[in-house]
Amino acid sequence: MSLFENIRDGKEPATIVYKDDYITAFEDIHPEAPVHILIIPNKTIKSLNEVVDDDVDYLSHILLGASKIAKLRGIGESGYRLITNCNYDGGQEVDYLHFHLVGGVRLGKMINLPKSSKKKMKE
Ligand code: 5GP
């Protein structure tokens, strides 16, 4: 079993902030903003690349859950960002589809390319 499967199943400790039939949401262990919550589908899916048509209920509940959780945490009005990283270029480190819900502070530019990537764009 993988880390996020264990968190989902209650076998690994995490601060769960929301759970329903489709999704589980918990605090990121290394928050990068005052609010940093990870939202996962209750079905094991490795990344956005792996989703299939039958997963539409999981995906829609992730969006619905994100909106609910943002309001519960008081950042609905001030604003927030929902991000999923896919594979190497996307910066995905955990192989279980997850969405970062971040907010509670002004987040700045959406994409901050490292110098090496900026150089590559000019080639
Ligand atoms: P990724 O880079 O794959 O998009 O994001 C993985 C996220 O999982 C990171 O933000 C990281 O801090 C978080 N994370 C890694 N291990 C754990 C853990 O054991 N517990 C929790 N709650 N979050 C974790």
Short mmCIF file of all heavy atoms in Angstrom, two decimals, residues 41-101:
data_model
loop_
_atom_site.label_atom_id
_atom_site.label_comp_id
_atom_site.label_asym_id
_atom_site.label_seq_id
_atom_site.Cartn_x
_atom_site.Cartn_y
_atom_site.Cartn_z
N PRO A 41 -8.84 11.43 -4.54
CA PRO A 41 -10.02 10.59 -4.75
C PRO A 41 -9.91 9.35 -3.86
O PRO A 41 -8.79 8.91 -3.55
CB PRO A 41 -9.91 10.21 -6.23
CG PRO A 41 -8.45 10.29 -6.54
CD PRO A 41 -7.87 11.35 -5.64
N ASN A 42 -11.04 8.79 -3.44
CA ASN A 42 -10.98 7.57 -2.63
C ASN A 42 -10.64 6.33 -3.45
O ASN A 42 -10.39 5.28 -2.89
CB ASN A 42 -12.31 7.37 -1.88
CG ASN A 42 -12.49 8.42 -0.79
OD1 ASN A 42 -11.53 9.06 -0.36
ND2 ASN A 42 -13.73 8.61 -0.35
N LYS A 43 -10.60 6.51 -4.77
CA LYS A 43 -10.14 5.42 -5.64
C LYS A 43 -8.65 5.65 -5.93
O LYS A 43 -8.23 6.79 -6.17
CB LYS A 43 -10.93 5.45 -6.95
CG LYS A 43 -10.45 4.45 -7.98
CD LYS A 43 -11.14 4.63 -9.32
CE LYS A 43 -10.47 3.76 -10.39
NZ LYS A 43 -10.98 4.03 -11.73
N THR A 44 -7.87 4.59 -5.93
CA THR A 44 -6.45 4.73 -6.23
C THR A 44 -6.27 5.05 -7.72
O THR A 44 -6.61 4.24 -8.58
CB THR A 44 -5.70 3.43 -5.87
OG1 THR A 44 -5.88 3.17 -4.48
CG2 THR A 44 -4.21 3.54 -6.19
N ILE A 45 -5.74 6.26 -7.98
CA ILE A 45 -5.45 6.70 -9.35
C ILE A 45 -4.06 7.34 -9.27
O ILE A 45 -3.83 8.18 -8.40
CB ILE A 45 -6.47 7.74 -9.85
CG1 ILE A 45 -7.91 7.20 -9.81
CG2 ILE A 45 -6.13 8.22 -11.26
CD1 ILE A 45 -9.00 8.24 -10.08
N LYS A 46 -3.15 6.93 -10.15
CA LYS A 46 -1.76 7.37 -10.01
C LYS A 46 -1.55 8.86 -10.31
O LYS A 46 -0.75 9.53 -9.67
CB LYS A 46 -0.87 6.54 -10.93
CG LYS A 46 -0.39 5.26 -10.28
CD LYS A 46 0.71 4.63 -11.11
CE LYS A 46 1.44 3.56 -10.32
NZ LYS A 46 2.53 2.97 -11.09
N SER A 47 -2.22 9.34 -11.35
CA SER A 47 -2.04 10.75 -11.72
C SER A 47 -3.19 11.12 -12.65
O SER A 47 -4.00 10.26 -13.03
CB SER A 47 -0.71 10.96 -12.46
OG SER A 47 -0.82 10.53 -13.81
N LEU A 48 -3.22 12.37 -13.05
CA LEU A 48 -4.29 12.81 -13.97
C LEU A 48 -4.23 12.04 -15.28
O LEU A 48 -5.25 11.85 -15.94
CB LEU A 48 -4.16 14.32 -14.20
CG LEU A 48 -5.41 15.04 -14.70
CD1 LEU A 48 -6.60 14.84 -13.77
CD2 LEU A 48 -5.13 16.53 -14.86
N ASN A 49 -3.04 11.58 -15.65
CA ASN A 49 -2.90 10.78 -16.88
C ASN A 49 -3.70 9.48 -16.84
O ASN A 49 -4.02 8.93 -17.89
CB ASN A 49 -1.43 10.38 -17.09
CG ASN A 49 -0.65 11.43 -17.83
OD1 ASN A 49 -1.24 12.33 -18.44
ND2 ASN A 49 0.66 11.33 -17.79
N GLU A 50 -3.96 8.99 -15.65
CA GLU A 50 -4.57 7.66 -15.50
C GLU A 50 -6.08 7.71 -15.40
O GLU A 50 -6.71 6.66 -15.29
CB GLU A 50 -4.02 6.96 -14.24
CG GLU A 50 -2.52 6.99 -14.09
CD GLU A 50 -1.79 6.24 -15.18
OE1 GLU A 50 -2.30 5.20 -15.62
OE2 GLU A 50 -0.73 6.73 -15.62
N VAL A 51 -6.69 8.90 -15.38
CA VAL A 51 -8.14 8.94 -15.18
C VAL A 51 -8.86 8.40 -16.41
O VAL A 51 -8.40 8.56 -17.55
CB VAL A 51 -8.67 10.35 -14.82
CG1 VAL A 51 -8.10 10.83 -13.50
CG2 VAL A 51 -8.44 11.34 -15.92
N VAL A 52 -9.99 7.76 -16.16
CA VAL A 52 -10.82 7.20 -17.24
C VAL A 52 -12.23 7.79 -17.11
O VAL A 52 -12.55 8.43 -16.11
CB VAL A 52 -10.86 5.65 -17.16
CG1 VAL A 52 -9.49 5.06 -17.42
CG2 VAL A 52 -11.41 5.17 -15.82
N ASP A 53 -13.03 7.58 -18.13
CA ASP A 53 -14.38 8.17 -18.15
C ASP A 53 -15.17 7.86 -16.87
O ASP A 53 -15.89 8.71 -16.36
CB ASP A 53 -15.17 7.68 -19.37
CG ASP A 53 -14.64 8.28 -20.67
OD1 ASP A 53 -13.73 9.12 -20.62
OD2 ASP A 53 -15.13 7.88 -21.74
N ASP A 54 -15.02 6.66 -16.36
CA ASP A 54 -15.78 6.25 -15.17
C ASP A 54 -15.37 7.01 -13.90
O ASP A 54 -16.03 6.90 -12.87
CB ASP A 54 -15.60 4.75 -14.90
CG ASP A 54 -16.53 3.91 -15.77
OD1 ASP A 54 -17.39 4.51 -16.46
OD2 ASP A 54 -16.38 2.68 -15.78
N ASP A 55 -14.26 7.75 -13.98
CA ASP A 55 -13.78 8.47 -12.79
C ASP A 55 -14.41 9.85 -12.64
O ASP A 55 -14.05 10.61 -11.73
CB ASP A 55 -12.25 8.63 -12.85
CG ASP A 55 -11.53 7.31 -12.76
OD1 ASP A 55 -12.10 6.37 -12.16
OD2 ASP A 55 -10.42 7.21 -13.29
N VAL A 56 -15.35 10.17 -13.52
CA VAL A 56 -15.88 11.54 -13.55
C VAL A 56 -16.49 11.95 -12.20
O VAL A 56 -16.35 13.11 -11.79
CB VAL A 56 -16.86 11.73 -14.73
CG1 VAL A 56 -18.13 10.92 -14.54
CG2 VAL A 56 -17.18 13.19 -14.96
N ASP A 57 -17.10 11.01 -11.48
CA ASP A 57 -17.68 11.37 -10.17
C ASP A 57 -16.59 11.76 -9.17
O ASP A 57 -16.78 12.66 -8.36
CB ASP A 57 -18.50 10.21 -9.60
CG ASP A 57 -19.86 10.10 -10.29
OD1 ASP A 57 -20.27 11.07 -10.98
OD2 ASP A 57 -20.50 9.04 -10.16
N TYR A 58 -15.47 11.06 -9.23
CA TYR A 58 -14.36 11.40 -8.33
C TYR A 58 -13.85 12.80 -8.65
O TYR A 58 -13.60 13.62 -7.76
CB TYR A 58 -13.22 10.38 -8.45
CG TYR A 58 -13.60 9.02 -7.92
CD1 TYR A 58 -14.01 8.01 -8.77
CD2 TYR A 58 -13.57 8.77 -6.55
CE1 TYR A 58 -14.37 6.77 -8.28
CE2 TYR A 58 -13.93 7.53 -6.05
CZ TYR A 58 -14.33 6.53 -6.93
OH TYR A 58 -14.71 5.31 -6.42
N LEU A 59 -13.68 13.07 -9.95
CA LEU A 59 -13.12 14.36 -10.36
C LEU A 59 -14.06 15.50 -10.00
O LEU A 59 -13.61 16.54 -9.50
CB LEU A 59 -12.82 14.35 -11.86
CG LEU A 59 -11.76 13.34 -12.29
CD1 LEU A 59 -11.64 13.31 -13.81
CD2 LEU A 59 -10.41 13.66 -11.66
N SER A 60 -15.33 15.30 -10.23
CA SER A 60 -16.26 16.40 -9.92
C SER A 60 -16.34 16.62 -8.41
O SER A 60 -16.42 17.77 -7.96
CB SER A 60 -17.64 16.15 -10.53
OG SER A 60 -18.15 14.93 -10.09
N HIS A 61 -16.25 15.56 -7.64
CA HIS A 61 -16.28 15.74 -6.18
C HIS A 61 -15.01 16.40 -5.66
O HIS A 61 -15.05 17.05 -4.61
CB HIS A 61 -16.55 14.41 -5.47
CG HIS A 61 -18.00 14.09 -5.43
ND1 HIS A 61 -18.68 13.57 -6.50
CD2 HIS A 61 -18.93 14.28 -4.46
CE1 HIS A 61 -19.95 13.43 -6.19
NE2 HIS A 61 -20.13 13.85 -4.96
N ILE A 62 -13.91 16.24 -6.36
CA ILE A 62 -12.70 16.97 -5.96
C ILE A 62 -12.94 18.48 -6.10
O ILE A 62 -12.63 19.27 -5.20
CB ILE A 62 -11.48 16.51 -6.79
CG1 ILE A 62 -11.04 15.12 -6.30
CG2 ILE A 62 -10.32 17.51 -6.69
CD1 ILE A 62 -10.04 14.42 -7.20
N LEU A 63 -13.55 18.88 -7.22
CA LEU A 63 -13.82 20.32 -7.42
C LEU A 63 -14.86 20.82 -6.41
O LEU A 63 -14.70 21.88 -5.80
CB LEU A 63 -14.30 20.57 -8.84
CG LEU A 63 -13.28 20.29 -9.95
CD1 LEU A 63 -13.89 20.60 -11.32
CD2 LEU A 63 -12.01 21.11 -9.76
N LEU A 64 -15.93 20.03 -6.21
CA LEU A 64 -16.95 20.43 -5.24
C LEU A 64 -16.36 20.51 -3.83
O LEU A 64 -16.63 21.46 -3.09
CB LEU A 64 -18.11 19.42 -5.25
CG LEU A 64 -18.99 19.41 -6.49
CD1 LEU A 64 -19.88 18.16 -6.51
CD2 LEU A 64 -19.86 20.67 -6.52
N GLY A 65 -15.54 19.52 -3.50
CA GLY A 65 -14.91 19.49 -2.17
C GLY A 65 -13.97 20.66 -1.97
O GLY A 65 -13.95 21.28 -0.90
N ALA A 66 -13.22 20.99 -3.00
CA ALA A 66 -12.28 22.11 -2.89
C ALA A 66 -13.02 23.40 -2.55
O ALA A 66 -12.61 24.17 -1.67
CB ALA A 66 -11.49 22.27 -4.19
N SER A 67 -14.11 23.61 -3.23
CA SER A 67 -14.91 24.82 -2.99
C SER A 67 -15.48 24.81 -1.56
O SER A 67 -15.42 25.82 -0.84
CB SER A 67 -16.02 24.88 -4.04
OG SER A 67 -17.01 25.77 -3.68
N LYS A 68 -15.98 23.65 -1.12
CA LYS A 68 -16.53 23.54 0.24
C LYS A 68 -15.45 23.79 1.29
O LYS A 68 -15.64 24.53 2.25
CB LYS A 68 -17.08 22.12 0.48
CG LYS A 68 -18.47 21.88 -0.05
CD LYS A 68 -18.91 20.46 0.33
CE LYS A 68 -20.02 20.00 -0.59
NZ LYS A 68 -20.27 18.56 -0.56
N ILE A 69 -14.31 23.13 1.10
CA ILE A 69 -13.23 23.23 2.10
C ILE A 69 -12.70 24.65 2.15
O ILE A 69 -12.43 25.19 3.22
CB ILE A 69 -12.10 22.22 1.78
CG1 ILE A 69 -12.61 20.79 1.89
CG2 ILE A 69 -10.91 22.42 2.71
CD1 ILE A 69 -11.74 19.76 1.17
N ALA A 70 -12.56 25.29 0.99
CA ALA A 70 -12.06 26.67 0.96
C ALA A 70 -12.99 27.56 1.79
O ALA A 70 -12.52 28.40 2.58
CB ALA A 70 -11.98 27.16 -0.48
N LYS A 71 -14.29 27.38 1.63
CA LYS A 71 -15.25 28.20 2.39
C LYS A 71 -15.16 27.88 3.89
O LYS A 71 -15.17 28.78 4.72
CB LYS A 71 -16.66 28.01 1.86
CG LYS A 71 -16.86 28.71 0.52
CD LYS A 71 -18.17 28.31 -0.13
CE LYS A 71 -18.15 28.69 -1.60
NZ LYS A 71 -19.02 27.86 -2.41
N LEU A 72 -15.06 26.56 4.20
CA LEU A 72 -14.94 26.16 5.61
C LEU A 72 -13.72 26.78 6.27
O LEU A 72 -13.73 27.13 7.44
CB LEU A 72 -14.83 24.62 5.72
CG LEU A 72 -16.09 23.81 5.57
CD1 LEU A 72 -15.77 22.32 5.46
CD2 LEU A 72 -17.01 24.05 6.77
N ARG A 73 -12.63 26.90 5.48
CA ARG A 73 -11.38 27.44 6.03
C ARG A 73 -11.30 28.96 5.91
O ARG A 73 -10.27 29.56 6.21
CB ARG A 73 -10.19 26.78 5.32
CG ARG A 73 -10.07 25.30 5.60
CD ARG A 73 -9.85 25.02 7.09
NE ARG A 73 -8.52 25.42 7.47
CZ ARG A 73 -7.49 24.58 7.53
NH1 ARG A 73 -7.68 23.31 7.32
NH2 ARG A 73 -6.29 25.01 7.85
N GLY A 74 -12.38 29.57 5.42
CA GLY A 74 -12.46 31.03 5.39
C GLY A 74 -11.67 31.70 4.29
O GLY A 74 -11.34 32.89 4.40
N ILE A 75 -11.36 30.96 3.22
CA ILE A 75 -10.59 31.58 2.13
C ILE A 75 -11.40 31.65 0.83
O ILE A 75 -10.84 31.97 -0.23
CB ILE A 75 -9.23 30.86 1.88
CG1 ILE A 75 -9.46 29.37 1.55
CG2 ILE A 75 -8.30 31.02 3.07
CD1 ILE A 75 -8.23 28.68 0.99
N GLY A 76 -12.69 31.36 0.92
CA GLY A 76 -13.52 31.41 -0.29
C GLY A 76 -13.51 32.80 -0.90
O GLY A 76 -13.33 32.96 -2.11
N GLU A 77 -13.67 33.79 -0.05
CA GLU A 77 -13.77 35.17 -0.53
C GLU A 77 -12.40 35.73 -0.93
O GLU A 77 -12.24 36.34 -1.99
CB GLU A 77 -14.38 36.03 0.59
CG GLU A 77 -14.99 37.33 0.13
CD GLU A 77 -16.13 37.14 -0.87
OE1 GLU A 77 -16.95 36.20 -0.70
OE2 GLU A 77 -16.19 37.93 -1.82
N SER A 78 -11.39 35.49 -0.11
CA SER A 78 -10.05 36.04 -0.41
C SER A 78 -9.42 35.35 -1.61
O SER A 78 -8.65 35.97 -2.36
CB SER A 78 -9.14 35.91 0.83
OG SER A 78 -9.11 34.58 1.29
N GLY A 79 -9.73 34.08 -1.79
CA GLY A 79 -9.24 33.36 -2.98
C GLY A 79 -8.23 32.28 -2.67
O GLY A 79 -7.64 32.23 -1.58
N TYR A 80 -8.04 31.44 -3.62
CA TYR A 80 -7.18 30.26 -3.43
C TYR A 80 -6.82 29.67 -4.79
O TYR A 80 -7.28 30.16 -5.84
CB TYR A 80 -7.90 29.20 -2.56
CG TYR A 80 -9.27 28.81 -3.07
CD1 TYR A 80 -9.44 27.74 -3.93
CD2 TYR A 80 -10.40 29.55 -2.70
CE1 TYR A 80 -10.70 27.38 -4.40
CE2 TYR A 80 -11.66 29.20 -3.17
CZ TYR A 80 -11.80 28.12 -4.02
OH TYR A 80 -13.03 27.77 -4.48
N ARG A 81 -6.00 28.64 -4.77
CA ARG A 81 -5.58 27.98 -6.01
C ARG A 81 -5.68 26.47 -5.81
O ARG A 81 -5.38 25.96 -4.72
CB ARG A 81 -4.13 28.39 -6.31
CG ARG A 81 -3.66 28.03 -7.69
CD ARG A 81 -2.31 28.68 -7.98
NE ARG A 81 -2.41 30.12 -8.17
CZ ARG A 81 -1.39 30.97 -8.08
NH1 ARG A 81 -0.19 30.53 -7.78
NH2 ARG A 81 -1.57 32.26 -8.27
N LEU A 82 -6.07 25.77 -6.88
CA LEU A 82 -6.16 24.31 -6.86
C LEU A 82 -5.21 23.78 -7.93
O LEU A 82 -5.35 24.14 -9.11
CB LEU A 82 -7.61 23.89 -7.15
CG LEU A 82 -7.93 22.42 -6.99
CD1 LEU A 82 -7.82 21.98 -5.53
CD2 LEU A 82 -9.36 22.14 -7.49
N ILE A 83 -4.26 22.97 -7.51
CA ILE A 83 -3.19 22.55 -8.43
C ILE A 83 -3.04 21.04 -8.38
O ILE A 83 -3.07 20.43 -7.31
CB ILE A 83 -1.83 23.14 -7.95
CG1 ILE A 83 -1.89 24.65 -7.79
CG2 ILE A 83 -0.68 22.73 -8.89
CD1 ILE A 83 -0.79 25.20 -6.87
N THR A 84 -2.82 20.44 -9.56
CA THR A 84 -2.36 19.05 -9.55
C THR A 84 -1.09 18.97 -10.39
O THR A 84 -0.99 19.59 -11.45
CB THR A 84 -3.44 18.07 -10.07
OG1 THR A 84 -2.98 16.74 -9.82
CG2 THR A 84 -3.75 18.23 -11.54
N ASN A 85 -0.11 18.29 -9.86
CA ASN A 85 1.16 18.11 -10.56
C ASN A 85 1.14 16.73 -11.21
O ASN A 85 0.76 15.75 -10.57
CB ASN A 85 2.33 18.20 -9.57
CG ASN A 85 2.43 19.57 -8.93
OD1 ASN A 85 2.20 20.58 -9.59
ND2 ASN A 85 2.77 19.62 -7.65
N CYS A 86 1.56 16.67 -12.48
CA CYS A 86 1.55 15.38 -13.18
C CYS A 86 2.95 15.05 -13.70
O CYS A 86 3.52 15.82 -14.48
CB CYS A 86 0.54 15.42 -14.33
SG CYS A 86 0.39 13.83 -15.16
N ASN A 87 3.46 13.93 -13.22
CA ASN A 87 4.74 13.38 -13.69
C ASN A 87 5.93 14.33 -13.47
O ASN A 87 5.84 15.29 -12.71
CB ASN A 87 4.63 12.93 -15.14
CG ASN A 87 3.84 11.62 -15.23
OD1 ASN A 87 3.52 11.01 -14.21
ND2 ASN A 87 3.53 11.18 -16.44
N TYR A 88 7.01 14.05 -14.14
CA TYR A 88 8.29 14.70 -13.82
C TYR A 88 8.28 16.21 -14.03
O TYR A 88 8.59 16.98 -13.11
CB TYR A 88 9.41 14.05 -14.66
CG TYR A 88 10.76 14.68 -14.41
CD1 TYR A 88 11.47 14.39 -13.24
CD2 TYR A 88 11.31 15.58 -15.33
CE1 TYR A 88 12.70 14.98 -13.00
CE2 TYR A 88 12.54 16.16 -15.09
CZ TYR A 88 13.23 15.87 -13.93
OH TYR A 88 14.44 16.45 -13.68
N ASP A 89 7.90 16.65 -15.24
CA ASP A 89 7.92 18.09 -15.51
C ASP A 89 6.92 18.83 -14.62
O ASP A 89 7.14 19.99 -14.25
CB ASP A 89 7.61 18.39 -16.99
CG ASP A 89 8.85 18.26 -17.88
OD1 ASP A 89 9.95 18.00 -17.34
OD2 ASP A 89 8.71 18.42 -19.12
N GLY A 90 5.83 18.16 -14.29
CA GLY A 90 4.83 18.78 -13.42
C GLY A 90 5.27 18.85 -11.97
O GLY A 90 4.66 19.55 -11.17
N GLY A 91 6.30 18.09 -11.61
CA GLY A 91 6.81 18.11 -10.25
C GLY A 91 6.08 17.17 -9.31
O GLY A 91 6.09 17.36 -8.10
N GLN A 92 5.46 16.13 -9.86
CA GLN A 92 4.73 15.18 -9.01
C GLN A 92 5.71 14.29 -8.26
O GLN A 92 6.56 13.64 -8.85
CB GLN A 92 3.80 14.31 -9.88
CG GLN A 92 2.98 13.34 -9.05
CD GLN A 92 1.98 12.54 -9.89
OE1 GLN A 92 1.97 12.62 -11.11
NE2 GLN A 92 1.14 11.77 -9.22
N GLU A 93 5.57 14.28 -6.93
CA GLU A 93 6.47 13.46 -6.11
C GLU A 93 5.76 12.25 -5.52
O GLU A 93 6.41 11.26 -5.20
CB GLU A 93 7.08 14.31 -4.98
CG GLU A 93 8.13 15.28 -5.53
CD GLU A 93 8.73 16.18 -4.48
OE1 GLU A 93 8.30 16.12 -3.32
OE2 GLU A 93 9.63 16.95 -4.86
N VAL A 94 4.47 12.36 -5.33
CA VAL A 94 3.71 11.24 -4.76
C VAL A 94 2.81 10.66 -5.86
O VAL A 94 2.00 11.38 -6.45
CB VAL A 94 2.86 11.70 -3.55
CG1 VAL A 94 2.00 10.56 -3.04
CG2 VAL A 94 3.76 12.23 -2.43
N ASP A 95 2.96 9.37 -6.12
CA ASP A 95 2.24 8.73 -7.22
C ASP A 95 0.83 8.32 -6.84
O ASP A 95 0.48 7.12 -6.84
CB ASP A 95 3.03 7.50 -7.73
CG ASP A 95 4.21 7.92 -8.58
OD1 ASP A 95 4.22 9.06 -9.08
OD2 ASP A 95 5.14 7.10 -8.73
N TYR A 96 0.04 9.29 -6.47
CA TYR A 96 -1.39 9.07 -6.19
C TYR A 96 -2.03 10.41 -6.50
O TYR A 96 -1.62 11.43 -5.93
CB TYR A 96 -1.58 8.68 -4.72
CG TYR A 96 -3.00 8.24 -4.35
CD1 TYR A 96 -3.24 6.97 -3.84
CD2 TYR A 96 -4.08 9.11 -4.49
CE1 TYR A 96 -4.53 6.57 -3.50
CE2 TYR A 96 -5.36 8.72 -4.16
CZ TYR A 96 -5.59 7.45 -3.65
OH TYR A 96 -6.86 7.06 -3.30
N LEU A 97 -2.98 10.42 -7.42
CA LEU A 97 -3.59 11.69 -7.85
C LEU A 97 -3.99 12.53 -6.64
O LEU A 97 -4.70 12.07 -5.75
CB LEU A 97 -4.83 11.39 -8.71
CG LEU A 97 -5.62 12.62 -9.19
CD1 LEU A 97 -4.79 13.49 -10.13
CD2 LEU A 97 -6.92 12.19 -9.86
N HIS A 98 -3.50 13.77 -6.61
CA HIS A 98 -3.87 14.66 -5.50
C HIS A 98 -3.89 16.09 -6.01
O HIS A 98 -3.16 16.45 -6.93
CB HIS A 98 -2.89 14.52 -4.33
CG HIS A 98 -1.45 14.72 -4.70
ND1 HIS A 98 -0.70 13.73 -5.31
CD2 HIS A 98 -0.63 15.78 -4.58
CE1 HIS A 98 0.52 14.17 -5.52
NE2 HIS A 98 0.59 15.43 -5.10
N PHE A 99 -4.75 16.88 -5.39
CA PHE A 99 -4.86 18.30 -5.72
C PHE A 99 -4.47 19.11 -4.50
O PHE A 99 -4.93 18.83 -3.40
CB PHE A 99 -6.30 18.63 -6.14
CG PHE A 99 -6.67 18.10 -7.50
CD1 PHE A 99 -6.85 16.74 -7.71
CD2 PHE A 99 -6.82 18.96 -8.58
CE1 PHE A 99 -7.16 16.24 -8.97
CE2 PHE A 99 -7.15 18.47 -9.84
CZ PHE A 99 -7.32 17.11 -10.03
N HIS A 100 -3.61 20.10 -4.71
CA HIS A 100 -3.21 21.00 -3.63
C HIS A 100 -4.22 22.16 -3.59
O HIS A 100 -4.37 22.87 -4.60
CB HIS A 100 -1.83 21.60 -3.89
CG HIS A 100 -0.72 20.59 -4.01
ND1 HIS A 100 0.24 20.41 -3.04
CD2 HIS A 100 -0.41 19.72 -5.01
CE1 HIS A 100 1.09 19.46 -3.43
NE2 HIS A 100 0.72 19.03 -4.62
N LEU A 101 -4.85 22.36 -2.45
CA LEU A 101 -5.69 23.53 -2.24
C LEU A 101 -4.88 24.50 -1.38
O LEU A 101 -4.57 24.19 -0.22
CB LEU A 101 -6.99 23.13 -1.53
CG LEU A 101 -7.90 24.28 -1.09
CD1 LEU A 101 -8.47 25.02 -2.29
CD2 LEU A 101 -9.03 23.76 -0.22
#
